[in-house]
Amino acid sequence: VDQDQRYCLGAVLLDADDPARVLGRSHDAIMEPIADYEIHGFFSSCVFATGAFAEDDRLTLYYGAADTYVCGATMSIQEIIAGLD
């Protein structure tokens, strides 16, 4: 959640051998509520991950929007990784 009470998604990369070790995390949101159906609903200005499927460089992310809709989005895994600190 940010200072404006918007629920956004970030990313974190964990060590496969020691998941307690954080290798990187996104500084900026990888997804934020911008569409009308993400901003207006039961719980406004909210996107939250519910599942994902990775194939090659494409991540298909299933997410809830404003506690009203179930949605899908695709994004590049390499672009997400490139944005990690």
Side-chain angles (χ1 to χ4, degrees):
V1 66
D2 68 11
Q3 65 275 9
D4 297 321
Q5 298 299 303
R6 294 177 331 130
Y7 284 74
C8 305
L9 295 178
V12 63
L13 180 63
L14 305 176
D15 185 309
D17 296 322
D18 180 8
R21 184 169 169 246
V22 176
L23 301 176
R25 69 180 65 225
S26 57
H27 180 272
D28 297 317
I30 63 167
M31 178 177 273
E32 57 188 290
I34 56 173
D36 185 63
Y37 57 86
E38 297 167 339
I39 295 172
H40 301 99
F42 181 75
F43 194 88
S44 298
S45 297
C46 176
V47 292
F48 56 96
T50 58
F53 176 78
E55 183 175 27
D56 300 322
D57 182 48
R58 187 176 72 191
L59 178 68
T60 301
L61 179 69
Y62 300 98
Y63 69 99
D67 270 2
T68 305
Y69 301 99
V70 176
C71 308
T74 59
M75 54 191 73
S76 163
I77 295 170
Q78 289 301 319
E79 286 182 20
I80 294 170
I81 291 172
L84 302 179
D85 293 337

